[in-house]
């Protein structure tokens, strides 16, 4: 069921508050206050889309009170109720109070009702515009980073290939030729990795969230089966404790696990006696907690937040192939399915990534 929209009405006449509340409480979540101070107290703890105030109150005017609500509640729609509006007050309301509507006292209930409905629509579109702006700013930021990265991560292996081809053209030595081919192969796999990551990124940002039945044990096994050939000497431990049916987005879960497990393999500590990656999944009716731990090179505290940013790589990981896109995709995917991700890590001891996702058992 849709939540009721919250309205706050401030008036020093209690009778008005009582009749307002009884008329509107069926349609809205109504808050009332006898003075500006009580109203500000309510606004301190609650986000209220529609704020209505009487103009004449002891101590402060409605316009003054509404002016004080602008900073903390910029999206809220402000309405003033007044018996007489003179021109000075109208100017003040527009200039200082960002007031959208005037309502004449005594009011006509139907008109008031219609005005509030319109204001709710206006509030919703304000919030939508703000959200769209935020998304646009993020998309713009990502685009800038992509352009930068394409010029570097895509161009530099291509330039290397071109350089090697020039060398190979000059060479008449078979051993050298083989070495050149190997170097080209390395550059091509760098390009391929970058493109693969881009496709994952694109799939995640475009695709709607899916809802399928998940078997965590199978999912974990599949991920390990594909990745364990990358280091057969490493210990792969899987523990899945699934207590009930679980529904979620299996493609995104695979992307998340693939990235976390392949990082655990990639950033291992060569000095560790027994290198391991441990995948632990516990799920119930409400959620699943998935952790991927390793005893690899770890991540210093200062970088633990940055690793989820697009194209971020720590200095000590630069000798491994990578693009800095993986964990960004992981975080975006986790958020897209309504979950959260955190990391605990100690340099040269190991890292533990923990993902918590909701069970989408009920159809939304
Ligand atoms: P990439 O691996 O392509 O560099 P990611 O976005 O997957 O990109 O990871 C970002 C950075 O986070 C890596 O460059 C590495 O420095 C660090 N990192 C990620 N996972 C681990 C891990 N398991 N152990 C140590 N460092 C890690």
């Amino acid at each position: 069921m849709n939540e009721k929209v919250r309205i706050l009405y401030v008036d020093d006449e209690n009778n008005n508050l009582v009749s307002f509340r009884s008329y509107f409480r069926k349609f809205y979540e109504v808050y009332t206050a006898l003075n500006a101070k009580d109203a500000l107290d309510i606004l301190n703890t609650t986000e209220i889309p529609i704020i209505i105030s009487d103009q004449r109150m002891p101590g402060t005017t409605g316009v003054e009170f509404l002016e004080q609500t602008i900073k903390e509640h910029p999206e809220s729609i402000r309405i003033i109720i007044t018996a007489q509006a003179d021109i000075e007050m109208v100017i003040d309301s527009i200039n200082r109070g960002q007031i959208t509507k005037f309502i004449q006292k005594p009011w006509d209930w139907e008109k008031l009702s219609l005005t509030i409905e319109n204001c709710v629509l206006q509030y919703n579109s304000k919030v939508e515009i703000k959200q769209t702006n935020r998304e646009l700013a993020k998309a713009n930021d990502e685009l800038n980073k992509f352009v930068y990265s394409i010029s570097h991560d895509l161009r530099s292996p291509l330039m290397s290939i071109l350089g090697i081809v020039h060398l190979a053209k000059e060479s008449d030595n078979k051993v050298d030729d083989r070495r050149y081919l190997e170097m080209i192969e390395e550059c091509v796999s760098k390009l391929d990795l970058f493109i693969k990551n881009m496709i994952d990124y694109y799939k995640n940002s475009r695709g709607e969230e899916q809802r399928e039945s998940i078997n965590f044990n199978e999912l974990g096994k599949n991920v390990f089966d594909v990745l364990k050939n990358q280091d057969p000497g490493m210990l792969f431990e899987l523990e899945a404790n699934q207590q009930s049916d679980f529904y979620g987005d299996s493609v995104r879960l695979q992307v998340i696990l693939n990235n976390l497990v392949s990082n655990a393999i990639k950033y291992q500590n060569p000095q560790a006696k027994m290198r391991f990656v441990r995948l632990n999944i516990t799920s119930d009716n409400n959620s699943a907690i998935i952790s991927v731990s390793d005893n690899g090179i770890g991540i210093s505290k200062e970088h633990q937040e940055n690793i989820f940013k697009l194209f971020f790589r720590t200095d000590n990981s630069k000798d491994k192939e990578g693009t800095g896109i993986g964990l960004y995709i992981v975080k975006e995917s986790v958020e897209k399915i309504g979950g959260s991700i955190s990391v605990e890590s100690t340099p040269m001891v190991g890292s533990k990534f923990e993902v918590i996702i909701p069970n989408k058992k009920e159809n939304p």
Side-chain angles (χ1 to χ4, degrees), residues 197 259-260 263-264 266-267 294 297-299 307 312-314 316-317 321-328 351 353:
N197 281 178
N259 274 294
L260 293 178
N263 276 349
K266 188 157 57 167
Y267 299 113
D294 62 56
I297 58 171
I299 306 147
I307 53 172
F312 181 87
R313 308 196 70 207
T314 61
N316 63 350
S317 68
E321 253 177 39
T323 56
I325 303 179
L327 285 182
Y328 180 78
S351 309
F353 287 84

Side-chain angles (χ1 to χ4, degrees), residues 75 122-132 134:
E75 262 67 67
Q122 209 175 326
Y123 173 81
N124 288 344
S125 45
K126 258 180 155 183
V127 171
E128 236 170 72
I129 289 172
K130 200 174 175 195
Q131 172 66 13
T132 315
R134 227 179 283 135

Side-chain angles (χ1 to χ4, degrees), residues 16 167 178 184 282 332 337:
N16 285 346
L167 284 177
R178 189 170 172 81
I184 290 176
T282 313
E332 291 280 301
I337 57 181

